[in-house]
Amino acid sequence: MGHARDSRYAARTQDDVLRLLAAHPLAWLVSCGGEDAAFTPLPLRAECDANGTLVALRGHLAKRNPHVGRLRRDGRAQALVMGPQAYVSPSWLDDRTQAPSWNYAAVAFDLEVTVSSDEGDIRTELEALTAQMESGRPHAWSLDEMGERYARLASGVVALRGSVLEARATFKLGQDEARHDFAQLLAGLEAGGEHTLVGWMRDFAGDAKERA
């Protein structure tokens, strides 16, 4: 991502990346090159070490997905996470000479992926993903409620672990806007229902005092 090299749009800390992944777990897992290039959308979750450092992404794939064979042959892959995003219109600004833009938050992970058919690994992954996605829901569902149906489901998937080699994050959230313009852009986005993106923009703006 081009903006990933612009320090204005960098993650402030690793927590920004973890928060984005938790809020938007559905990612593209991409294995490029060759006749068996593969591209699969799937939910991924973060694995952190004892120090809280992100070390891997975990997930699962259907055994029948050709991507499994590709990963077993070549574990190098990328995971592409797109968070909140929206078109930014100059029509919201007093200064209509400005150009349109697009605000967004995204992360690209370079991974070394291993695939496991071990029943324990599969169970651990499915339980962890379910717990993450059901957390905070009234009458939250658990994997045990599937009963004997679970075994049939689990037999059709594999667990995967992608060691994170590099993470390139872009949080293009209006950091380069003047204070007056920023306020007008927030108002325009809110009027269009882009409340999640507005929340991220406000968070990154924080209580900064130095807008030009």
Side-chain angles (χ1 to χ4, degrees):
M1 293 182 293
H3 283 303
R5 303 188 188 281
D6 189 328
S7 60
R8 291 176 299 179
Y9 306 130
R12 297 164 299 184
T13 69
Q14 178 188 262
D15 289 344
D16 290 329
V17 173
L18 293 175
R19 175 185 165 202
L20 184 67
L21 183 62
H24 300 272
L26 190 67
W28 279 100
L29 185 66
V30 178
S31 296
C32 292
E35 295 182 356
D36 60 347
F39 313 86
T40 301
L42 77 168
L44 293 172
R45 60 185 187 85
E47 176 191 332
C48 295
D49 64 16
N51 297 317
T53 300
L54 176 65
V55 293
L57 302 181
R58 289 188 174 268
H60 67 282
L61 286 169
K63 282 183 180 178
R64 66 179 182 275
N65 188 332
H67 206 155
V68 174
R70 167 59 186 254
L71 291 168
R72 283 181 166 147
R73 180 179 70 79
D74 177 5
R76 288 300 296 265
Q78 289 186 314
L80 308 178
V81 178
M82 177 60 75
Q85 53 79 29
Y87 173 70
V88 178
S89 173
S91 68
W92 303 326
L93 300 173
D94 294 333
D95 179 7
R96 294 173 68 94
T97 68
Q98 295 203 38
S101 186
W102 213 287
N103 279 6
Y104 63 91
V107 186
F109 297 94
D110 291 336
L111 306 174
E112 183 67 39
V113 179
T114 56
V115 175
S116 174
S117 297
D118 179 80
E119 291 182 6
D121 291 342
I122 293 168
R123 178 83 189 196
T124 296
E125 174 52 36
L126 295 178
E127 285 183 335
L129 179 62
T130 300
Q132 175 178 309
M133 300 311 300
E134 291 289 326
S135 177
R137 295 178 183 271
H139 311 296
W141 182 85
S142 70
L143 209 61
D144 289 336
E145 296 182 64
M146 293 189 72
E148 63 182 22
R149 295 185 64 185
Y150 168 78
R152 295 197 298 274
L153 169 69
S155 67
V157 303
V158 295
L160 64 86
R161 181 182 187 274
S163 297
V164 175
L165 306 177
E166 186 178 4
R168 298 183 298 281
T170 302
F171 293 87
K172 184 179 177 296
L173 300 169
Q175 295 95 321
D176 56 342
E177 302 288 351
R179 184 188 298 271
H180 178 71
D181 292 344
F182 186 79
Q184 291 187 324
L185 295 177
L186 286 181
L189 288 164
E190 285 186 320
E194 303 292 349
H195 305 300
T196 301
L197 179 61
V198 167
W200 279 86
M201 290 173 64
R202 290 187 186 279
D203 182 49
F204 265 69
D207 58 356
K209 305 298 184 182
E210 298 302 325
R211 290 192 179 277

